[in-house]
Amino acid sequence: MLVPLLLAIAFFTLYERLILAALQRRQGPNVVGFYGLFQPIADGLKLFVKESIVPKSSNKMLFIFAPIFTFGLAIAGWVVLPLGDGALICDFRLSLLYVFMLSSLGVHTIIMAGWSSNSKYAFLGGLRSAAQMISYEISLGSVILAVLVVARTLNFSAIIDSQKTIWYAIPLLPIFILFFICALAETNRHPFDLPEAEAELVSGYNVEYSAMGFALFFLAEYSNIILISSITTLLFLGGWAPFFNFMPFTWVPETLNFAIKTMFFITLFIIVRGTLPRYRYDQLMRLGWKVFLPFGLAFFLVYASLLLALNSGVELVN
């Protein structure tokens, strides 16, 4: 899985640059290779051959291992994601909980990178990123509670099987929208990319990194975007299930169905980056704690109450 994932991340960067260029009415990468197709490979080779600079006053061991841990955690989440019926490495009951556990561990690597650099800008970027990721993990968890109540399982394959009749994006539309916005904040993307605000923090927690250290942070960020887009597909759009069961779409391979839906969310991530302005940090935190968290808990209570009422009504009829 590692090689296809790295290739997907590489061409994701090209795809993002081309869409942003189209939004801003310019050409984008078009020199290296046929229509710029080799641009990601050229960028990767450039970062690979550059010299890695370690600041003299930094904690060298943590400084070197922070990007490695970050990339390792980003890769580890893919082992439980089913890309088709049975097409996954590991299938166990708590796969959704496992992904959230890895996401929470990622906060430690960001703090490690910001603190070990011994730079005020990197340290402030690390603190900002840690506070943002912790805040929106709680909001994301409260939003997913409604999905778990409806599906009654934490296993991705079982959640997909429970959407054979109808995708959860339709009855759980408000939850679907809240989840996508929280995913933008959790991955530090526009309009919530405050940890990497180049205007006031130069670049954030990775400001002192170069060459492969910077490349590993870069790969981890884009891997997390593809991962959260895949999770959104699994939770709300039926995973690999075809678009319409009663039409000729059923001949389309399961993995291709999954890829098309995931590409839809990846494209949304890019369009949001090219169109929306950045939030202030106080607005970002207020939105997470005073809007998304209460709304997520409220929707959870509403859907849980509806399910209890419907189940009680069915039992009375029986």
Side-chain angles (χ1 to χ4, degrees), residues 3-261:
V3 174
L5 178 60
L6 290 176
L7 287 173
I9 294 169
F11 286 100
F12 176 19
T13 61
L14 177 65
Y15 182 60
E16 179 178 42
R17 293 170 71 178
L18 288 173
I19 290 183
L20 290 176
L23 289 172
Q24 298 164 1
R25 299 188 65 119
R26 52 186 177 83
Q27 287 190 331
N30 63 345
V31 175
V32 184
F34 183 69
Y35 284 106
L37 284 178
F38 294 152
Q39 185 67 51
I41 299 172
D43 292 337
L45 286 174
K46 180 197 75 171
L47 289 169
F48 183 74
V49 300
K50 285 182 75 174
E51 179 186 1
S52 291
I53 299 171
V54 179
K56 185 177 179 181
S57 57
S58 66
N59 187 315
K60 292 179 176 55
M61 187 179 72
L62 292 181
F63 185 84
I64 292 170
F65 278 102
I68 298 172
F69 291 156
T70 304
F71 182 66
L73 290 173
I75 295 297
W78 285 92
V79 300
V80 296
L81 256 64
L83 308 182
D85 191 5
L88 76 167
I89 296 174
C90 180
D91 190 13
F92 65 103
R93 290 188 304 114
L94 305 177
S95 51
L96 182 59
L97 197 62
Y98 166 79
V99 171
F100 271 88
M101 179 269 294
L102 291 177
S103 174
S104 61
L105 284 177
V107 179
H108 297 79
T109 61
I110 299 301
I111 296 175
M112 190 188 303
W115 180 83
S116 64
S117 299
N118 199 22
S119 166
K120 293 178 182 177
Y121 294 115
F123 184 59
L124 287 173
L127 289 179
R128 273 189 174 191
S129 185
Q132 176 174 331
M133 291 173 74
I134 291 170
S135 301
Y136 280 88
E137 270 173 21
I138 297 171
S139 301
L140 208 60
S142 69
V143 167
I144 284 183
L145 282 175
V147 179
L148 300 183
V149 163
V150 176
R152 298 184 181 183
T153 179
L154 284 163
N155 180 268
F156 281 122
S157 300
I159 291 173
I160 293 168
D161 289 338
S162 67
Q163 298 181 67
K164 286 181 178 177
T165 306
I166 187 171
W167 293 349
Y168 287 156
I170 298 171
L172 304 180
L173 182 61
I175 297 293
F176 176 44
I177 296 170
L178 283 178
F179 183 88
F180 180 74
I181 299 172
C182 289
L184 289 172
E186 181 66 17
T187 51
N188 296 335
R189 293 284 293 186
H190 266 76
F192 309 115
D193 63 333
L194 274 302
E196 299 172 11
E198 59 276 351
E200 62 264 26
L201 293 181
V202 186
S203 175
Y205 58 86
N206 56 5
V207 65
E208 298 292 344
Y209 284 90
S210 59
M212 282 309 295
F214 175 79
L216 288 175
F217 277 122
F218 194 71
L219 291 171
E221 178 182 342
Y222 279 82
S223 174
N224 286 328
I225 293 170
I226 301 175
L227 180 69
I228 200 74
S229 299
S230 303
I231 292 172
T232 310
T233 299
L234 294 172
L235 293 180
F236 294 99
L237 293 189
W240 62 78
F243 292 98
F244 301 102
N245 289 323
F246 52 88
M247 293 181 68
F249 286 97
T250 52
W251 65 266
V252 179
E254 293 173 345
T255 308
L256 183 59
N257 270 323
F258 182 82
I260 291 171
K261 296 174 187 177

